[in-house]
Amino acid sequence: MTWRPTLAALAGLCLAVTTTTVPAGAATDAVRASARAALAGPPGAPPGACPSGVSYGPPLPASTVTAPRIRGGFTFLEGPVWVADGGYLLMSDMTAGTGPYNVQPSTIRRFTLPATFDTFIANAGSNGLALTADAQQLVAATHDQRSVSAYRLSDRTRSTVAADYQGRAFNSPNDVAVRSDGVVYFTDPNFQRGNRPDQMSGRTSVFRVSGGQVSLVDDRLRQPNGISLSPDGSALYVGAYAENKIYKYVVQPDGSVGARSVFVNYIGGPDGGTIDCAGNVYWTSGGDSLVHVYSPAGTPLGTIRPGNTGTTNVAFGGPDRQTLFITSGPWGDSGLYSVRLNIPGYPY
């Protein structure tokens, strides 16, 4: 059930948090404005990511689409995210585990249109990536420290978003989604935990970070992997890799997560996903290496093939965000692919 505040409740809240005397009319206007904001629903995509009042047609130019490769030769690409201000794409490139705990090193690579690749952050320890709403920081699922981190784009300095849950280390955070008000959602399977001790008692979970506090969303999923937030902020999607399902959660205005339902009942090894501005869902499959496209109701709309193996993640980008970038390929020859689609989308 969605909580709908009354004017009286909001007025009580205002009185509880301020002692400033204001004219009665101004207070009433403020309460009404707060009520309207609460009833409008949760925040979603950053301002400007998806234009309002636009009607869209089919997302794909055909029911089956092939995405050409831009460049290969990377070890294992993951977590693409588009940075509009700089006109570039960032992605994690993981290599084989090293050291006594067998932890996989990771470098953040940068692709600048039309054809330049370079190293953006060495030794980043990252997997899934996302941007803050102001596009000033890169939020990363960082398995090197079993944490969620933020890298400031201007100088690459690192800070911690989530270090642990109730004093226990995460397994290996894998993918992240960021709401426009700063709420962060992330998955925590054990894929990159290596030989480090299990402090989650065998559970693989989804978490939320709000106001610096980490809370549990769901610990019933087996190997939650990709995670995406709908542009209107009303739904959170999570691919459960070991269950071959995509789940959908109702998101409340305060960022808390409500009822869970099955969005897609079978997809072979769901990895990363993204969503376009019409609410269509794009999800990669480790089983067939395709990107599967679904309507907001879960109806299959078609597929995109980037390569023959190892498709891991997707992100919209390009000047108008109508290019879908895809990370795909076998270990040791992972590559970046792209295809132009009909609808713009979320940049990660």
Side-chain angles (χ1 to χ4, degrees):
M1 180 178 70
T2 301
W3 177 67
R4 294 182 177 273
T6 64
L7 290 178
L10 286 168
L13 179 61
C14 290
L15 290 173
V17 299
T18 181
T19 57
T20 303
T21 301
V22 297
T28 302
D29 290 344
V31 169
R32 287 173 176 162
S34 297
R36 284 195 298 271
L39 294 173
C50 288
S52 59
V54 177
S55 296
Y56 297 105
L60 300 177
S63 60
T64 57
V65 178
T66 299
R69 186 162 81 162
I70 299 172
R71 178 177 161 179
F74 299 98
T75 304
F76 186 78
L77 294 180
E78 255 285 8
V81 59
W82 177 255
V83 182
D85 288 346
Y88 58 83
L89 185 83
L90 298 176
M91 50 198 165
S92 298
D93 186 10
M94 291 184 282
T95 57
T98 61
Y101 293 113
N102 194 36
V103 177
Q104 291 181 253
S106 174
T107 296
I108 296 178
R109 310 288 184 188
R110 175 170 57 183
F111 166 58
T112 306
L113 295 176
T116 301
F117 288 84
D118 64 353
T119 295
F120 190 74
I121 301 175
N123 302 315
S126 62
N127 192 324
L129 306 173
L131 282 182
T132 54
D134 62 6
Q136 300 302 304
Q137 295 193 82
L138 183 69
V139 180
T142 41
H143 56 264
D144 65 337
Q145 297 181 4
R146 303 170 75 171
S147 66
V148 176
S149 302
Y151 284 99
R152 193 161 57 191
L153 293 178
S154 60
D155 58 11
R156 279 64 149 181
T157 54
R158 181 175 181 172
S159 59
T160 300
V161 176
D164 56 59
Y165 176 63
Q166 296 179 345
R168 292 173 290 154
F170 300 115
N171 294 304
S172 55
N174 183 279
D175 206 358
V176 289
V178 181
R179 209 166 72 158
S180 61
D181 63 351
V183 175
V184 174
Y185 303 90
F186 68 96
T187 56
D188 185 41
N190 60 26
F191 299 141
Q192 278 81 41
R193 193 177 67 209
N195 300 326
R196 293 172 291 188
D198 173 14
Q199 296 190 23
M200 286 292 163
S201 303
R203 294 183 177 89
T204 54
S205 308
V206 181
F207 293 96
R208 170 172 62 100
V209 188
S210 180
Q213 299 297 311
V214 179
S215 59
L216 178 67
V217 171
D218 196 344
D219 63 358
R220 299 167 293 166
L221 302 188
R222 288 187 290 125
Q223 303 293 19
N225 197 335
I227 187 167
S228 290
L229 186 68
S230 64
D232 67 2
S234 67
L236 184 71
Y237 298 85
V238 178
Y241 187 87
E243 299 177 41
N244 296 317
K245 298 181 187 295
I246 301 173
Y247 289 102
K248 180 180 180 179
Y249 299 82
V250 175
V251 179
Q252 307 295 345
D254 66 354
S256 61
V257 175
R260 184 186 83 178
S261 60
V262 175
F263 179 68
V264 173
N265 193 49
Y266 181 82
I267 177 173
D271 206 317
T274 192
I275 303 175
D276 69 23
C277 289
N280 301 306
V281 176
Y282 301 69
W283 220 275
T284 60
S285 167
D288 56 22
S289 296
L290 296 173
V291 180
H292 293 260
V293 185
Y294 305 94
S295 75
T299 303
L301 300 178
T303 60
I304 303 168
R305 177 173 290 282
N308 295 317
T309 185
T311 301
T312 59
N313 218 320
V314 286
F316 280 95
D320 57 5
R321 286 192 298 278
Q322 282 185 229
T323 298
L324 188 71
F325 291 101
I326 307 166
T327 50
S328 180
W331 181 271
D333 190 23
S334 184
L336 178 65
Y337 297 72
S338 72
V339 62
R340 184 165 177 79
L341 300 180
N342 295 337
I343 302 176
Y346 231 149
Y348 55 85

